[in-house]
PDB file of all heavy atoms in Angstrom:
ATOM      1  N   ASP A1158     -11.259  11.008   6.176  1.00 97.00           N
ATOM      2  CA  ASP A1158     -10.414  10.075   5.417  1.00 97.00           C
ATOM      3  C   ASP A1158     -10.842  10.058   3.951  1.00 97.00           C
ATOM      4  O   ASP A1158     -10.001  10.141   3.054  1.00 97.00           O
ATOM      5  CB  ASP A1158     -10.510   8.662   5.996  1.00 97.00           C
ATOM      6  CG  ASP A1158      -9.787   8.537   7.318  1.00 97.00           C
ATOM      7  OD1 ASP A1158      -8.639   9.018   7.395  1.00 97.00           O
ATOM      8  OD2 ASP A1158     -10.370   7.993   8.270  1.00 97.00           O
ATOM      9  N   THR A1159     -12.150   9.949   3.722  1.00 96.00           N
ATOM     10  CA  THR A1159     -12.663   9.911   2.338  1.00 96.00           C
ATOM     11  C   THR A1159     -12.207  11.170   1.595  1.00 96.00           C
ATOM     12  O   THR A1159     -11.761  11.102   0.455  1.00 96.00           O
ATOM     13  CB  THR A1159     -14.195   9.836   2.317  1.00 96.00           C
ATOM     14  OG1 THR A1159     -14.590   8.797   3.201  1.00 96.00           O
ATOM     15  CG2 THR A1159     -14.737   9.562   0.935  1.00 96.00           C
ATOM     16  N   GLU A1160     -12.339  12.297   2.278  1.00 95.00           N
ATOM     17  CA  GLU A1160     -11.982  13.574   1.639  1.00 95.00           C
ATOM     18  C   GLU A1160     -10.500  13.584   1.257  1.00 95.00           C
ATOM     19  O   GLU A1160     -10.151  13.936   0.121  1.00 95.00           O
ATOM     20  CB  GLU A1160     -12.303  14.702   2.609  1.00 95.00           C
ATOM     21  CG  GLU A1160     -12.307  16.053   1.927  1.00 95.00           C
ATOM     22  CD  GLU A1160     -12.682  17.166   2.884  1.00 95.00           C
ATOM     23  OE1 GLU A1160     -13.504  16.952   3.793  1.00 95.00           O
ATOM     24  OE2 GLU A1160     -12.102  18.257   2.728  1.00 95.00           O
ATOM     25  N   THR A1161      -9.656  13.192   2.197  1.00 96.00           N
ATOM     26  CA  THR A1161      -8.206  13.206   1.907  1.00 96.00           C
ATOM     27  C   THR A1161      -7.878  12.241   0.769  1.00 96.00           C
ATOM     28  O   THR A1161      -7.149  12.600  -0.166  1.00 96.00           O
ATOM     29  CB  THR A1161      -7.402  12.771   3.153  1.00 96.00           C
ATOM     30  OG1 THR A1161      -7.852  13.531   4.265  1.00 96.00           O
ATOM     31  CG2 THR A1161      -5.922  12.959   2.966  1.00 96.00           C
ATOM     32  N   ILE A1162      -8.429  11.019   0.833  1.00 97.00           N
ATOM     33  CA  ILE A1162      -8.096  10.018  -0.199  1.00 97.00           C
ATOM     34  C   ILE A1162      -8.602  10.481  -1.555  1.00 97.00           C
ATOM     35  O   ILE A1162      -7.890  10.438  -2.558  1.00 97.00           O
ATOM     36  CB  ILE A1162      -8.694   8.629   0.141  1.00 97.00           C
ATOM     37  CG1 ILE A1162      -8.209   8.144   1.508  1.00 97.00           C
ATOM     38  CG2 ILE A1162      -8.342   7.620  -0.930  1.00 97.00           C
ATOM     39  CD1 ILE A1162      -8.889   6.873   1.990  1.00 97.00           C
ATOM     40  N   LEU A1163      -9.862  10.940  -1.568  1.00 97.00           N
ATOM     41  CA  LEU A1163     -10.464  11.336  -2.844  1.00 97.00           C
ATOM     42  C   LEU A1163      -9.717  12.526  -3.469  1.00 97.00           C
ATOM     43  O   LEU A1163      -9.395  12.499  -4.659  1.00 97.00           O
ATOM     44  CB  LEU A1163     -11.943  11.657  -2.611  1.00 97.00           C
ATOM     45  CG  LEU A1163     -12.858  11.771  -3.841  1.00 97.00           C
ATOM     46  CD1 LEU A1163     -12.692  10.588  -4.772  1.00 97.00           C
ATOM     47  CD2 LEU A1163     -14.320  11.881  -3.405  1.00 97.00           C
ATOM     48  N   ASN A1164      -9.396  13.527  -2.657  1.00 96.00           N
ATOM     49  CA  ASN A1164      -8.689  14.681  -3.205  1.00 96.00           C
ATOM     50  C   ASN A1164      -7.339  14.303  -3.768  1.00 96.00           C
ATOM     51  O   ASN A1164      -6.952  14.715  -4.870  1.00 96.00           O
ATOM     52  CB  ASN A1164      -8.495  15.760  -2.133  1.00 96.00           C
ATOM     53  CG  ASN A1164      -9.791  16.467  -1.827  1.00 96.00           C
ATOM     54  OD1 ASN A1164     -10.758  16.372  -2.586  1.00 96.00           O
ATOM     55  ND2 ASN A1164      -9.848  17.172  -0.705  1.00 96.00           N
ATOM     56  N   ARG A1165      -6.606  13.495  -2.996  1.00 97.00           N
ATOM     57  CA  ARG A1165      -5.264  13.078  -3.443  1.00 97.00           C
ATOM     58  C   ARG A1165      -5.366  12.230  -4.706  1.00 97.00           C
ATOM     59  O   ARG A1165      -4.588  12.400  -5.646  1.00 97.00           O
ATOM     60  CB  ARG A1165      -4.610  12.281  -2.298  1.00 97.00           C
ATOM     61  CG  ARG A1165      -3.154  12.078  -2.459  1.00 97.00           C
ATOM     62  CD  ARG A1165      -2.383  13.325  -2.040  1.00 97.00           C
ATOM     63  NE  ARG A1165      -0.955  13.139  -2.281  1.00 97.00           N
ATOM     64  CZ  ARG A1165      -0.343  13.503  -3.405  1.00 97.00           C
ATOM     65  NH1 ARG A1165      -1.021  14.100  -4.365  1.00 97.00           N
ATOM     66  NH2 ARG A1165       0.947  13.301  -3.559  1.00 97.00           N
ATOM     67  N   ALA A1166      -6.345  11.295  -4.711  1.00 97.00           N
ATOM     68  CA  ALA A1166      -6.521  10.423  -5.874  1.00 97.00           C
ATOM     69  C   ALA A1166      -6.901  11.241  -7.108  1.00 97.00           C
ATOM     70  O   ALA A1166      -6.372  11.010  -8.198  1.00 97.00           O
ATOM     71  CB  ALA A1166      -7.564   9.351  -5.587  1.00 97.00           C
ATOM     72  N   LEU A1167      -7.797  12.199  -6.936  1.00 97.00           N
ATOM     73  CA  LEU A1167      -8.222  13.005  -8.094  1.00 97.00           C
ATOM     74  C   LEU A1167      -7.048  13.787  -8.668  1.00 97.00           C
ATOM     75  O   LEU A1167      -6.921  13.926  -9.876  1.00 97.00           O
ATOM     76  CB  LEU A1167      -9.361  13.949  -7.695  1.00 97.00           C
ATOM     77  CG  LEU A1167     -10.735  13.269  -7.480  1.00 97.00           C
ATOM     78  CD1 LEU A1167     -11.751  14.241  -6.879  1.00 97.00           C
ATOM     79  CD2 LEU A1167     -11.272  12.674  -8.784  1.00 97.00           C
ATOM     80  N   ASN A1168      -6.158  14.278  -7.790  1.00 97.00           N
ATOM     81  CA  ASN A1168      -4.940  14.978  -8.277  1.00 97.00           C
ATOM     82  C   ASN A1168      -4.129  14.053  -9.160  1.00 97.00           C
ATOM     83  O   ASN A1168      -3.587  14.461 -10.199  1.00 97.00           O
ATOM     84  CB  ASN A1168      -4.028  15.369  -7.118  1.00 97.00           C
ATOM     85  CG  ASN A1168      -4.565  16.550  -6.366  1.00 97.00           C
ATOM     86  OD1 ASN A1168      -5.392  17.279  -6.897  1.00 97.00           O
ATOM     87  ND2 ASN A1168      -4.136  16.731  -5.127  1.00 97.00           N
ATOM     88  N   ILE A1169      -4.001  12.806  -8.724  1.00 98.00           N
ATOM     89  CA  ILE A1169      -3.133  11.883  -9.475  1.00 98.00           C
ATOM     90  C   ILE A1169      -3.860  11.390 -10.738  1.00 98.00           C
ATOM     91  O   ILE A1169      -3.212  11.115 -11.750  1.00 98.00           O
ATOM     92  CB  ILE A1169      -2.612  10.745  -8.563  1.00 98.00           C
ATOM     93  CG1 ILE A1169      -1.848  11.377  -7.396  1.00 98.00           C
ATOM     94  CG2 ILE A1169      -1.717   9.784  -9.335  1.00 98.00           C
ATOM     95  CD1 ILE A1169      -1.278  10.433  -6.370  1.00 98.00           C
ATOM     96  N   CYS A1170      -5.182  11.332 -10.728  1.00 98.00           N
ATOM     97  CA  CYS A1170      -5.927  11.040 -11.974  1.00 98.00           C
ATOM     98  C   CYS A1170      -5.563  12.107 -13.014  1.00 98.00           C
ATOM     99  O   CYS A1170      -5.287  11.782 -14.166  1.00 98.00           O
ATOM    100  CB  CYS A1170      -7.436  11.076 -11.723  1.00 98.00           C
ATOM    101  SG  CYS A1170      -8.072   9.744 -10.687  1.00 98.00           S
ATOM    102  N   GLU A1171      -5.541  13.340 -12.560  1.00 98.00           N
ATOM    103  CA  GLU A1171      -5.216  14.479 -13.431  1.00 98.00           C
ATOM    104  C   GLU A1171      -3.768  14.366 -13.922  1.00 98.00           C
ATOM    105  O   GLU A1171      -3.471  14.489 -15.116  1.00 98.00           O
ATOM    106  CB  GLU A1171      -5.427  15.765 -12.611  1.00 98.00           C
ATOM    107  CG  GLU A1171      -5.302  17.048 -13.389  1.00 98.00           C
ATOM    108  CD  GLU A1171      -6.548  17.336 -14.225  1.00 98.00           C
ATOM    109  OE1 GLU A1171      -7.663  17.055 -13.727  1.00 98.00           O
ATOM    110  OE2 GLU A1171      -6.381  17.811 -15.361  1.00 98.00           O
ATOM    111  N   GLU A1172      -2.870  14.153 -12.949  1.00 98.00           N
ATOM    112  CA  GLU A1172      -1.439  14.123 -13.248  1.00 98.00           C
ATOM    113  C   GLU A1172      -1.102  12.988 -14.222  1.00 98.00           C
ATOM    114  O   GLU A1172      -0.178  13.115 -15.039  1.00 98.00           O
ATOM    115  CB  GLU A1172      -0.715  13.881 -11.911  1.00 98.00           C
ATOM    116  CG  GLU A1172       0.714  14.308 -11.851  1.00 98.00           C
ATOM    117  CD  GLU A1172       1.328  13.943 -10.494  1.00 98.00           C
ATOM    118  OE1 GLU A1172       0.607  13.556  -9.550  1.00 98.00           O
ATOM    119  OE2 GLU A1172       2.552  14.017 -10.428  1.00 98.00           O
ATOM    120  N   THR A1173      -1.835  11.876 -14.148  1.00 98.00           N
ATOM    121  CA  THR A1173      -1.550  10.730 -15.030  1.00 98.00           C
ATOM    122  C   THR A1173      -2.460  10.735 -16.252  1.00 98.00           C
ATOM    123  O   THR A1173      -2.562   9.725 -16.960  1.00 98.00           O
ATOM    124  CB  THR A1173      -1.722   9.398 -14.266  1.00 98.00           C
ATOM    125  OG1 THR A1173      -3.084   9.307 -13.808  1.00 98.00           O
ATOM    126  CG2 THR A1173      -0.782   9.291 -13.091  1.00 98.00           C
ATOM    127  N   GLU A1174      -3.124  11.852 -16.464  1.00 98.00           N
ATOM    128  CA  GLU A1174      -4.018  12.044 -17.606  1.00 98.00           C
ATOM    129  C   GLU A1174      -5.031  10.908 -17.749  1.00 98.00           C
ATOM    130  O   GLU A1174      -5.251  10.388 -18.839  1.00 98.00           O
ATOM    131  CB  GLU A1174      -3.207  12.226 -18.888  1.00 98.00           C
ATOM    132  CG  GLU A1174      -2.381  13.498 -18.819  1.00 98.00           C
ATOM    133  CD  GLU A1174      -1.409  13.625 -19.988  1.00 98.00           C
ATOM    134  OE1 GLU A1174      -1.243  12.657 -20.740  1.00 98.00           O
ATOM    135  OE2 GLU A1174      -0.824  14.710 -20.106  1.00 98.00           O
ATOM    136  N   GLY A1175      -5.588  10.503 -16.601  1.00 98.00           N
ATOM    137  CA  GLY A1175      -6.658   9.523 -16.628  1.00 98.00           C
ATOM    138  C   GLY A1175      -6.223   8.064 -16.699  1.00 98.00           C
ATOM    139  O   GLY A1175      -7.075   7.183 -16.821  1.00 98.00           O
ATOM    140  N   ALA A1176      -4.904   7.800 -16.631  1.00 98.00           N
ATOM    141  CA  ALA A1176      -4.481   6.380 -16.551  1.00 98.00           C
ATOM    142  C   ALA A1176      -5.013   5.815 -15.233  1.00 98.00           C
ATOM    143  O   ALA A1176      -5.450   4.666 -15.149  1.00 98.00           O
ATOM    144  CB  ALA A1176      -2.967   6.254 -16.609  1.00 98.00           C
ATOM    145  N   LEU A1177      -4.993   6.648 -14.183  1.00 98.00           N
ATOM    146  CA  LEU A1177      -5.734   6.333 -12.956  1.00 98.00           C
ATOM    147  C   LEU A1177      -7.066   7.038 -13.100  1.00 98.00           C
ATOM    148  O   LEU A1177      -7.100   8.218 -13.413  1.00 98.00           O
ATOM    149  CB  LEU A1177      -4.977   6.869 -11.730  1.00 98.00           C
ATOM    150  CG  LEU A1177      -5.615   6.485 -10.393  1.00 98.00           C
ATOM    151  CD1 LEU A1177      -5.265   5.039 -10.031  1.00 98.00           C
ATOM    152  CD2 LEU A1177      -5.162   7.404  -9.263  1.00 98.00           C
ATOM    153  N   ASP A1178      -8.152   6.288 -12.903  1.00 98.00           N
ATOM    154  CA  ASP A1178      -9.474   6.938 -12.939  1.00 98.00           C
ATOM    155  C   ASP A1178     -10.334   6.297 -11.870  1.00 98.00           C
ATOM    156  O   ASP A1178     -10.698   5.121 -11.991  1.00 98.00           O
ATOM    157  CB  ASP A1178     -10.108   6.820 -14.320  1.00 98.00           C
ATOM    158  CG  ASP A1178     -11.315   7.743 -14.452  1.00 98.00           C
ATOM    159  OD1 ASP A1178     -12.081   7.842 -13.466  1.00 98.00           O
ATOM    160  OD2 ASP A1178     -11.463   8.385 -15.516  1.00 98.00           O
ATOM    161  N   VAL A1179     -10.645   7.066 -10.832  1.00 98.00           N
ATOM    162  CA  VAL A1179     -11.393   6.506  -9.689  1.00 98.00           C
ATOM    163  C   VAL A1179     -12.857   6.201 -10.043  1.00 98.00           C
ATOM    164  O   VAL A1179     -13.568   5.588  -9.266  1.00 98.00           O
ATOM    165  CB  VAL A1179     -11.373   7.457  -8.475  1.00 98.00           C
ATOM    166  CG1 VAL A1179      -9.965   7.541  -7.868  1.00 98.00           C
ATOM    167  CG2 VAL A1179     -11.891   8.854  -8.825  1.00 98.00           C
ATOM    168  N   SER A1180     -13.276   6.586 -11.269  1.00 98.00           N
ATOM    169  CA  SER A1180     -14.659   6.276 -11.667  1.00 98.00           C
ATOM    170  C   SER A1180     -14.743   5.064 -12.590  1.00 98.00           C
ATOM    171  O   SER A1180     -15.768   4.853 -13.245  1.00 98.00           O
ATOM    172  CB  SER A1180     -15.290   7.525 -12.319  1.00 98.00           C
ATOM    173  OG  SER A1180     -14.654   7.791 -13.555  1.00 98.00           O
ATOM    174  N   ILE A1181     -13.688   4.240 -12.611  1.00 98.00           N
ATOM    175  CA  ILE A1181     -13.656   3.060 -13.488  1.00 98.00           C
ATOM    176  C   ILE A1181     -14.510   1.901 -12.920  1.00 98.00           C
ATOM    177  O   ILE A1181     -14.754   0.899 -13.596  1.00 98.00           O
ATOM    178  CB  ILE A1181     -12.185   2.593 -13.738  1.00 98.00           C
ATOM    179  CG1 ILE A1181     -12.069   1.617 -14.909  1.00 98.00           C
ATOM    180  CG2 ILE A1181     -11.581   1.979 -12.493  1.00 98.00           C
ATOM    181  CD1 ILE A1181     -12.256   2.236 -16.247  1.00 98.00           C
ATOM    182  N   TYR A1182     -15.016   2.064 -11.717  1.00 97.00           N
ATOM    183  CA  TYR A1182     -15.679   0.974 -11.007  1.00 97.00           C
ATOM    184  C   TYR A1182     -16.739   0.202 -11.797  1.00 97.00           C
ATOM    185  O   TYR A1182     -16.735  -1.038 -11.793  1.00 97.00           O
ATOM    186  CB  TYR A1182     -16.270   1.512  -9.698  1.00 97.00           C
ATOM    187  CG  TYR A1182     -16.875   0.444  -8.815  1.00 97.00           C
ATOM    188  CD1 TYR A1182     -16.092  -0.579  -8.276  1.00 97.00           C
ATOM    189  CD2 TYR A1182     -18.240   0.442  -8.519  1.00 97.00           C
ATOM    190  CE1 TYR A1182     -16.646  -1.560  -7.466  1.00 97.00           C
ATOM    191  CE2 TYR A1182     -18.802  -0.538  -7.716  1.00 97.00           C
ATOM    192  CZ  TYR A1182     -17.996  -1.532  -7.192  1.00 97.00           C
ATOM    193  OH  TYR A1182     -18.552  -2.495  -6.408  1.00 97.00           O
ATOM    194  N   PRO A1183     -17.689   0.876 -12.498  1.00 97.00           N
ATOM    195  CA  PRO A1183     -18.714   0.097 -13.222  1.00 97.00           C
ATOM    196  C   PRO A1183     -18.104  -0.872 -14.239  1.00 97.00           C
ATOM    197  O   PRO A1183     -18.642  -1.957 -14.470  1.00 97.00           O
ATOM    198  CB  PRO A1183     -19.546   1.190 -13.935  1.00 97.00           C
ATOM    199  CG  PRO A1183     -19.343   2.400 -13.091  1.00 97.00           C
ATOM    200  CD  PRO A1183     -17.924   2.317 -12.596  1.00 97.00           C
ATOM    201  N   VAL A1184     -16.962  -0.506 -14.819  1.00 97.00           N
ATOM    202  CA  VAL A1184     -16.301  -1.382 -15.783  1.00 97.00           C
ATOM    203  C   VAL A1184     -15.651  -2.571 -15.061  1.00 97.00           C
ATOM    204  O   VAL A1184     -15.792  -3.724 -15.475  1.00 97.00           O
ATOM    205  CB  VAL A1184     -15.243  -0.590 -16.601  1.00 97.00           C
ATOM    206  CG1 VAL A1184     -14.516  -1.514 -17.567  1.00 97.00           C
ATOM    207  CG2 VAL A1184     -15.883   0.578 -17.344  1.00 97.00           C
ATOM    208  N   VAL A1185     -14.992  -2.287 -13.934  1.00 96.00           N
ATOM    209  CA  VAL A1185     -14.354  -3.356 -13.141  1.00 96.00           C
ATOM    210  C   VAL A1185     -15.425  -4.361 -12.709  1.00 96.00           C
ATOM    211  O   VAL A1185     -15.232  -5.575 -12.760  1.00 96.00           O
ATOM    212  CB  VAL A1185     -13.667  -2.741 -11.888  1.00 96.00           C
ATOM    213  CG1 VAL A1185     -13.105  -3.842 -10.976  1.00 96.00           C
ATOM    214  CG2 VAL A1185     -12.542  -1.783 -12.302  1.00 96.00           C
ATOM    215  N   ARG A1186     -16.595  -3.825 -12.325  1.00 95.00           N
ATOM    216  CA  ARG A1186     -17.716  -4.686 -11.872  1.00 95.00           C
ATOM    217  C   ARG A1186     -18.244  -5.541 -13.017  1.00 95.00           C
ATOM    218  O   ARG A1186     -18.539  -6.720 -12.848  1.00 95.00           O
ATOM    219  CB  ARG A1186     -18.826  -3.779 -11.319  1.00 95.00           C
ATOM    220  CG  ARG A1186     -19.898  -4.511 -10.577  1.00 95.00           C
ATOM    221  CD  ARG A1186     -20.838  -3.567  -9.841  1.00 95.00           C
ATOM    222  NE  ARG A1186     -21.258  -2.441 -10.691  1.00 95.00           N
ATOM    223  CZ  ARG A1186     -21.806  -1.334 -10.248  1.00 95.00           C
ATOM    224  NH1 ARG A1186     -22.004  -1.155  -8.957  1.00 95.00           N
ATOM    225  NH2 ARG A1186     -22.162  -0.371 -11.072  1.00 95.00           N
ATOM    226  N   GLU A1187     -18.353  -4.952 -14.199  1.00 97.00           N
ATOM    227  CA  GLU A1187     -18.868  -5.680 -15.359  1.00 97.00           C
ATOM    228  C   GLU A1187     -17.987  -6.884 -15.722  1.00 97.00           C
ATOM    229  O   GLU A1187     -18.476  -7.916 -16.136  1.00 97.00           O
ATOM    230  CB  GLU A1187     -19.002  -4.708 -16.551  1.00 97.00           C
ATOM    231  CG  GLU A1187     -19.759  -5.257 -17.727  1.00 97.00           C
ATOM    232  CD  GLU A1187     -21.227  -5.602 -17.412  1.00 97.00           C
ATOM    233  OE1 GLU A1187     -21.809  -4.964 -16.508  1.00 97.00           O
ATOM    234  OE2 GLU A1187     -21.774  -6.517 -18.061  1.00 97.00           O
ATOM    235  N   TRP A1188     -16.698  -6.730 -15.548  1.00 97.00           N
ATOM    236  CA  TRP A1188     -15.762  -7.837 -15.820  1.00 97.00           C
ATOM    237  C   TRP A1188     -15.857  -8.918 -14.735  1.00 97.00           C
ATOM    238  O   TRP A1188     -15.264  -9.980 -14.861  1.00 97.00           O
ATOM    239  CB  TRP A1188     -14.325  -7.318 -15.883  1.00 97.00           C
ATOM    240  CG  TRP A1188     -13.962  -6.671 -17.180  1.00 97.00           C
ATOM    241  CD1 TRP A1188     -14.091  -5.351 -17.507  1.00 97.00           C
ATOM    242  CD2 TRP A1188     -13.410  -7.314 -18.341  1.00 97.00           C
ATOM    243  NE1 TRP A1188     -13.649  -5.122 -18.774  1.00 97.00           N
ATOM    244  CE2 TRP A1188     -13.216  -6.322 -19.316  1.00 97.00           C
ATOM    245  CE3 TRP A1188     -13.058  -8.626 -18.648  1.00 97.00           C
ATOM    246  CZ2 TRP A1188     -12.690  -6.587 -20.579  1.00 97.00           C
ATOM    247  CZ3 TRP A1188     -12.526  -8.908 -19.901  1.00 97.00           C
ATOM    248  CH2 TRP A1188     -12.354  -7.890 -20.858  1.00 97.00           C
ATOM    249  N   GLY A1189     -16.519  -8.567 -13.610  1.00 95.00           N
ATOM    250  CA  GLY A1189     -16.698  -9.553 -12.525  1.00 95.00           C
ATOM    251  C   GLY A1189     -15.588  -9.540 -11.489  1.00 95.00           C
ATOM    252  O   GLY A1189     -15.527 -10.414 -10.630  1.00 95.00           O
ATOM    253  N   PHE A1190     -14.699  -8.532 -11.567  1.00 93.00           N
ATOM    254  CA  PHE A1190     -13.578  -8.523 -10.625  1.00 93.00           C
ATOM    255  C   PHE A1190     -14.011  -8.178  -9.191  1.00 93.00           C
ATOM    256  O   PHE A1190     -13.253  -8.418  -8.254  1.00 93.00           O
ATOM    257  CB  PHE A1190     -12.478  -7.552 -11.089  1.00 93.00           C
ATOM    258  CG  PHE A1190     -11.754  -8.056 -12.295  1.00 93.00           C
ATOM    259  CD1 PHE A1190     -11.841  -7.400 -13.505  1.00 93.00           C
ATOM    260  CD2 PHE A1190     -10.997  -9.221 -12.208  1.00 93.00           C
ATOM    261  CE1 PHE A1190     -11.198  -7.904 -14.626  1.00 93.00           C
ATOM    262  CE2 PHE A1190     -10.338  -9.706 -13.323  1.00 93.00           C
ATOM    263  CZ  PHE A1190     -10.444  -9.052 -14.527  1.00 93.00           C
ATOM    264  N   THR A1191     -15.214  -7.643  -9.022  1.00 90.00           N
ATOM    265  CA  THR A1191     -15.654  -7.318  -7.653  1.00 90.00           C
ATOM    266  C   THR A1191     -16.319  -8.529  -6.989  1.00 90.00           C
ATOM    267  O   THR A1191     -16.379  -8.606  -5.775  1.00 90.00           O
ATOM    268  CB  THR A1191     -16.665  -6.142  -7.691  1.00 90.00           C
ATOM    269  OG1 THR A1191     -17.702  -6.493  -8.625  1.00 90.00           O
ATOM    270  CG2 THR A1191     -16.007  -4.867  -8.130  1.00 90.00           C
ATOM    271  N   THR A1192     -16.817  -9.479  -7.789  1.00 90.00           N
ATOM    272  CA  THR A1192     -17.553 -10.614  -7.226  1.00 90.00           C
ATOM    273  C   THR A1192     -16.859 -11.955  -7.469  1.00 90.00           C
ATOM    274  O   THR A1192     -17.153 -12.937  -6.798  1.00 90.00           O
ATOM    275  CB  THR A1192     -18.935 -10.718  -7.907  1.00 90.00           C
ATOM    276  OG1 THR A1192     -18.716 -10.816  -9.326  1.00 90.00           O
ATOM    277  CG2 THR A1192     -19.814  -9.530  -7.590  1.00 90.00           C
ATOM    278  N   GLY A1193     -15.957 -11.988  -8.446  1.00 91.00           N
ATOM    279  CA  GLY A1193     -15.312 -13.269  -8.806  1.00 91.00           C
ATOM    280  C   GLY A1193     -16.125 -14.016  -9.868  1.00 91.00           C
ATOM    281  O   GLY A1193     -15.735 -15.110 -10.293  1.00 91.00           O
ATOM    282  N   GLU A1194     -17.269 -13.430 -10.282  1.00 94.00           N
ATOM    283  CA  GLU A1194     -18.037 -14.062 -11.372  1.00 94.00           C
ATOM    284  C   GLU A1194     -17.577 -13.440 -12.682  1.00 94.00           C
ATOM    285  O   GLU A1194     -18.207 -12.541 -13.247  1.00 94.00           O
ATOM    286  CB  GLU A1194     -19.537 -13.820 -11.140  1.00 94.00           C
ATOM    287  CG  GLU A1194     -20.061 -14.649  -9.970  1.00 94.00           C
ATOM    288  CD  GLU A1194     -21.417 -14.165  -9.480  1.00 94.00           C
ATOM    289  OE1 GLU A1194     -22.157 -13.534 -10.277  1.00 94.00           O
ATOM    290  OE2 GLU A1194     -21.706 -14.389  -8.300  1.00 94.00           O
ATOM    291  N   TYR A1195     -16.442 -13.947 -13.152  1.00 96.00           N
ATOM    292  CA  TYR A1195     -15.776 -13.333 -14.294  1.00 96.00           C
ATOM    293  C   TYR A1195     -16.497 -13.548 -15.604  1.00 96.00           C
ATOM    294  O   TYR A1195     -17.081 -14.607 -15.844  1.00 96.00           O
ATOM    295  CB  TYR A1195     -14.352 -13.887 -14.404  1.00 96.00           C
ATOM    296  CG  TYR A1195     -13.518 -13.679 -13.174  1.00 96.00           C
ATOM    297  CD1 TYR A1195     -12.919 -14.774 -12.513  1.00 96.00           C
ATOM    298  CD2 TYR A1195     -13.318 -12.415 -12.647  1.00 96.00           C
ATOM    299  CE1 TYR A1195     -12.139 -14.572 -11.370  1.00 96.00           C
ATOM    300  CE2 TYR A1195     -12.548 -12.213 -11.500  1.00 96.00           C
ATOM    301  CZ  TYR A1195     -11.970 -13.304 -10.878  1.00 96.00           C
ATOM    302  OH  TYR A1195     -11.223 -13.110  -9.752  1.00 96.00           O
ATOM    303  N   ARG A1196     -16.445 -12.540 -16.458  1.00 96.00           N
ATOM    304  CA  ARG A1196     -16.990 -12.678 -17.821  1.00 96.00           C
ATOM    305  C   ARG A1196     -16.355 -11.591 -18.711  1.00 96.00           C
ATOM    306  O   ARG A1196     -15.918 -10.552 -18.184  1.00 96.00           O
ATOM    307  CB  ARG A1196     -18.514 -12.502 -17.823  1.00 96.00           C
ATOM    308  CG  ARG A1196     -18.913 -11.160 -17.254  1.00 96.00           C
ATOM    309  CD  ARG A1196     -20.398 -10.942 -17.166  1.00 96.00           C
ATOM    310  NE  ARG A1196     -20.606  -9.758 -16.348  1.00 96.00           N
ATOM    311  CZ  ARG A1196     -21.129  -9.756 -15.136  1.00 96.00           C
ATOM    312  NH1 ARG A1196     -21.543 -10.879 -14.584  1.00 96.00           N
ATOM    313  NH2 ARG A1196     -21.264  -8.633 -14.463  1.00 96.00           N
ATOM    314  N   VAL A1197     -16.317 -11.847 -20.006  1.00 97.00           N
ATOM    315  CA  VAL A1197     -15.791 -10.822 -20.932  1.00 97.00           C
ATOM    316  C   VAL A1197     -16.999 -10.030 -21.442  1.00 97.00           C
ATOM    317  O   VAL A1197     -17.857 -10.594 -22.137  1.00 97.00           O
ATOM    318  CB  VAL A1197     -15.035 -11.476 -22.111  1.00 97.00           C
ATOM    319  CG1 VAL A1197     -14.498 -10.391 -23.055  1.00 97.00           C
ATOM    320  CG2 VAL A1197     -13.906 -12.351 -21.609  1.00 97.00           C
ATOM    321  N   PRO A1198     -17.094  -8.745 -21.099  1.00 97.00           N
ATOM    322  CA  PRO A1198     -18.252  -7.958 -21.537  1.00 97.00           C
ATOM    323  C   PRO A1198     -18.238  -7.748 -23.057  1.00 97.00           C
ATOM    324  O   PRO A1198     -17.181  -7.816 -23.679  1.00 97.00           O
ATOM    325  CB  PRO A1198     -18.086  -6.624 -20.808  1.00 97.00           C
ATOM    326  CG  PRO A1198     -17.023  -6.840 -19.793  1.00 97.00           C
ATOM    327  CD  PRO A1198     -16.171  -7.966 -20.271  1.00 97.00           C
TER     328      PRO A1198
END
Side-chain angles (χ1 to χ4, degrees):
D1158 287 314
T1159 311
E1160 195 178 325
T1161 310
I1162 302 172
L1163 194 49
N1164 287 345
R1165 194 79 184 93
L1167 287 171
N1168 285 340
I1169 302 178
C1170 291
E1171 187 77 38
E1172 202 183 348
T1173 60
E1174 296 172 350
L1177 185 78
D1178 193 319
V1179 292
S1180 67
I1181 195 72
Y1182 185 64
V1184 178
V1185 175
R1186 191 170 46 196
E1187 191 62 28
W1188 280 91
F1190 290 114
T1191 53
T1192 56
E1194 289 164 24
Y1195 302 124
R1196 58 182 168 250
V1197 180

